């Protein structure tokens, strides 16, 4: 696992805490990356301290695009804003702000940085930075799954919407920075990093700013008792475990120094906050000494990334419930075509799908199409819209949905292929006990094979039917959007096609001897379908109504005990 230790401060009030962080890292033999915002560049003591750390320890200095408001900003723009979100400014003004910050950095430090950071960078902004300041190779550029749940949790006052992107390091697409590029030609030549490594279950079920590699976040999540916090160790170990089925794993510590000041974290003392941070770095040192972690500056990681990361690859995560200690887990997969989450707690349903294939262009700021919301839209989302891709089994003795809770048996990697295998579970279909095992195989090509194998059953003389049902609704928030114009289709192997163009009329259509069923979503620039090569497959489509604005399509295969269904979920442009 590759790890960055990143430090920043908003202004001089965090300098003493920053010195603690720096001393802690250096005492363990680590170099850090120091990111300085425009506001802190006003203070000579801060600037000189950054210079001394680079000279004495070889630490890296870069720019952070937060804490922009202050004297330099007011002088340039005659504006007394107290919170400047550069990603929400008109693009022409955005360029002026970026230029101001880079040139002030150069004036103070004598060079342009390799590494930068911020809460959100869209592709247009990253491309501008790369063109004007080609020294930049790497950027902390999004906050994984910070969106509408964060907005609500912050009293509807934190205007950062960046759901739907990868959780790891990647090359962003020139069309949308939250989409991993498919090729070098499509990539912005800046490596994108997440702002913090996150708890990949709590990111899905709740506010992930309470559950991350940020020790003050752990305090906000009430995961510690004073200086005791088992979660620090479990969290780091869980990320280490991801190297079992990934070519490489990226992790960062990124704790703003102000979070270690007195009075910042509820009733927690500064002494406790600092001690928890110390523990996190000491455990990192222990794992580094064991050869499991390589701690680098951001620019050093950029050099490594170019060697170990193949553009277009897929990455997977299997995450267990660390916060509550239950048996619940969540599976994630991401590649340039899409990002998906699979929930074993819901019988292996797919509960989140972000269709990168469509490459929805980002357009934020005044007068834009998206205004504040830079999240990548979903094609289905259970947390936001109660939408899933779920399964059902039936036979002449009864039927049941795959709602049984199960766990992950294994995650297997074979070249570019990654397979999640769930533990078998049993159904009682009218006193007919049936045992089924599920697996999901991703081929890094916009396809995932949804396999259900009937391991055994009391009735071996009858036929069983496995149905996969995609019930989707697109958007970026919990509120429905207009689906009119979405086109559902069902195609038979003979070539006959049944279609429904969405008008909220709850119309249905079915086909026998089905080849595929699916949906074309113009708003997402993509189509998603279920396909089968089986001779006995059948399919159906359903447009839904205003009270249930979703697009639904189902594909069913028939099989016997010992056989396996092999329905393929595909995404296409």
């Amino acid at each position: 696992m590759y790890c960055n230790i990143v430090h920043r401060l908003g202004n001089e009030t965090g300098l003493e805490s920053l010195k603690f962080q720096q001393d802690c890292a250096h005492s363990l033999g680590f170099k850090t990356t120091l990111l300085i915002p425009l506001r802190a560049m006003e203070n000579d003591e801060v600037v000189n301290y950054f210079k001394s750390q680079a000279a004495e320890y070889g630490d890296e200095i870069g720019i952070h695009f937060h804490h922009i408001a202050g004297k330099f900003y007011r002088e340039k723009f005659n504006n007394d804003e107290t919170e400047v979100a550069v990603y929400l400014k008109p693009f022409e003004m955005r360029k002026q702000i970026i230029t101001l910050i880079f040139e002030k950095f150069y004036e103070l430090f004598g060079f342009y940085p390799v590494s930068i950071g911020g809460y959100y960078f869209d592709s247009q902004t990253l491309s501008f930075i790369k063109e004007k300041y080609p020294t930049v190779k790497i950027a902390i550029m999004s906050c994984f799954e910070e969106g509408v749940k964060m907005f609500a949790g912050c009293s509807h006052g934190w205007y950062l919407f960046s759901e739907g992107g990868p959780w790891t390091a990647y090359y962003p697409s020139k069309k949308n920075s939250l989409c991993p590029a498919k090729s070098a030609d499509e990539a912005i030549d800046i490596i994108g990093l997440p702002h913090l490594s996150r708890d990949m279950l709590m990111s899905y079920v709740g506010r992930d700013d309470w559950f991350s590699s940020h020790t003050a976040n752990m305090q906000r999540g009430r995961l510690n008792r004073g200086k005791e916090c088992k979660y620090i160790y479990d969290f780091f170990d869980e990320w280490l475990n991801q190297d079992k089925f990934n070519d490489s794993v990226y992790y960062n510590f990124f704790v703003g120094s102000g979070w270690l000041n007195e009075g910042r974290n509820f009733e927690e003392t500064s002494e406790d906050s600092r001690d928890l941070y110390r523990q996190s770095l000491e455990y990192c040192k222990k794992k580094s000494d064991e050869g499991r972690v390589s701690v680098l500056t951001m620019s050093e990681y950029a050099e490594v990334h170019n060697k170990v990361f193949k553009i277009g690859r897929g990455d997977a995560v299997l995450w267990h419930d660390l916060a509550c200690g239950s048996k619940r887990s969540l599976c994630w997969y991401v590649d340039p075509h899409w990002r998906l989450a699979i929930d074993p707690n819901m019988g292996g349903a797919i509960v989140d799908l972000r269709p990168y294939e469509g490459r929805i262009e980002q357009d934020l700021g005044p007068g834009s199409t998206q205004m504040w919301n830079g999240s990548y839209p979903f094609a289905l989302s259970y947390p936001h819209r109660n939408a899933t891709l779920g399964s059902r089994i039936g036979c002449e003795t009864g039927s049941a949905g795959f709602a049984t809770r199960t766990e992950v048996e294994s995650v297997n990697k074979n070249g570019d292929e990654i397979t999640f295998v769930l533990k078998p579970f049993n159904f009682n279909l009218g006193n007919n006990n049936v045992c089924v095992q599920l697996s999901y195989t991703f081929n890094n090509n916009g396809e995932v094979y949804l396999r259900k194998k009937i391991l055994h059953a009391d009735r071996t003389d009858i036929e069983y039917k496995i149905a996969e049902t995609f019930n989707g609704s697109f958007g970026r928030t919990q509120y429905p959007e207009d689906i009119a114009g979405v086109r559902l289709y069902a195609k038979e192997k003979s070539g006959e096609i049944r279609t429904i163009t969405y008008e909220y009329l709850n119309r249905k259509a079915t086909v026998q001897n089905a080849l595929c069923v699916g949906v074309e979503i113009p708003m997402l620039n993509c189509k998603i379908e279920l396909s089968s090569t089986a001779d006995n497959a059948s399919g159906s489509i359903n447009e839904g109504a205003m009270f249930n604005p979703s697009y639904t399509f189902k594909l069913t295969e028939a099989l016997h005990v010992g056989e396996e269904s092999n329905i393929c979920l595909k995404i296409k442009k």
Side-chain angles (χ1 to χ4, degrees), residues 396-415:
E396 65 180 54
T397 64
S399 64
F402 279 66
T404 305
R405 294 180 177 89
T406 186
E407 300 174 56
V408 176
E409 182 174 276
S410 64
V411 185
N412 308 312
K413 181 173 173 58
N414 182 17

Side-chain angles (χ1 to χ4, degrees), residues 157 186 407 420 445 543:
E186 193 209 359
E407 300 174 56
F420 295 95
N445 62 355
E543 71 175 315

Side-chain angles (χ1 to χ4, degrees), residues 95 99 103 127-134:
K95 291 192 292 185
T99 301
E103 296 305 326
S127 296
F128 167 75
I129 289 172
K130 187 63 183 181
E131 181 179 355
K132 186 159 186 175
Y133 300 102

Side-chain angles (χ1 to χ4, degrees), residues 4 46 63 105 120 147 461 500:
N4 290 150
V46 171
I63 293 172
F105 181 95
Y120 189 96
D461 58 324
I500 298 173

Side-chain angles (χ1 to χ4, degrees), residues 65-206:
F65 284 84
H66 190 53
H67 296 293
I68 294 170
K71 182 181 72 172
F72 295 150
Y73 184 81
R74 286 195 302 271
E75 290 174 350
K76 173 67 176 178
F77 297 102
N78 191 28
N79 191 312
D80 63 354
E81 286 179 277
T82 58
E83 190 73 73
V84 178
V86 66
Y87 53 89
L88 295 180
K89 294 296 183 182
F91 185 58
E92 290 305 313
M93 185 176 182
R94 205 179 305 169
K95 291 192 292 185
Q96 294 179 50
I97 295 171
I98 290 166
T99 301
L100 168 66
I101 296 171
F102 268 92
E103 296 305 326
K104 182 59 68 173
F105 181 95
Y106 183 86
E107 176 186 325
L108 295 171
F109 295 100
F111 62 91
Y112 292 116
V114 173
S115 303
I116 62 175
Y119 292 139
Y120 189 96
F121 286 107
D122 61 281
S123 58
Q124 189 179 29
T125 301
L126 282 178
S127 296
F128 167 75
I129 289 172
K130 187 63 183 181
E131 181 179 355
K132 186 159 186 175
Y133 300 102
T135 58
V136 176
K137 296 181 179 179
I138 189 166
I140 295 171
M141 50 152 287
S142 69
C143 297
F144 181 75
E145 297 309 271
E146 290 200 16
V148 293
K149 288 181 286 187
M150 269 286 295
F151 187 63
C154 291
S155 301
H156 304 94
W158 183 245
Y159 287 82
L160 172 66
F161 299 88
S162 62
E163 286 185 32
W167 56 83
T168 187
Y170 66 102
Y171 282 101
S173 164
K174 292 175 182 176
K175 292 187 177 180
N176 190 304
S177 63
L178 297 182
C179 300
K182 293 182 179 180
S183 66
D185 289 340
E186 193 209 359
I188 301 170
D189 191 20
I190 294 176
I191 298 161
L193 304 178
H195 176 83
L196 299 170
S197 299
R198 307 285 177 149
D199 184 308
M200 298 296 288
L201 177 59
M202 299 308 292
S203 294
Y204 169 76
V205 301

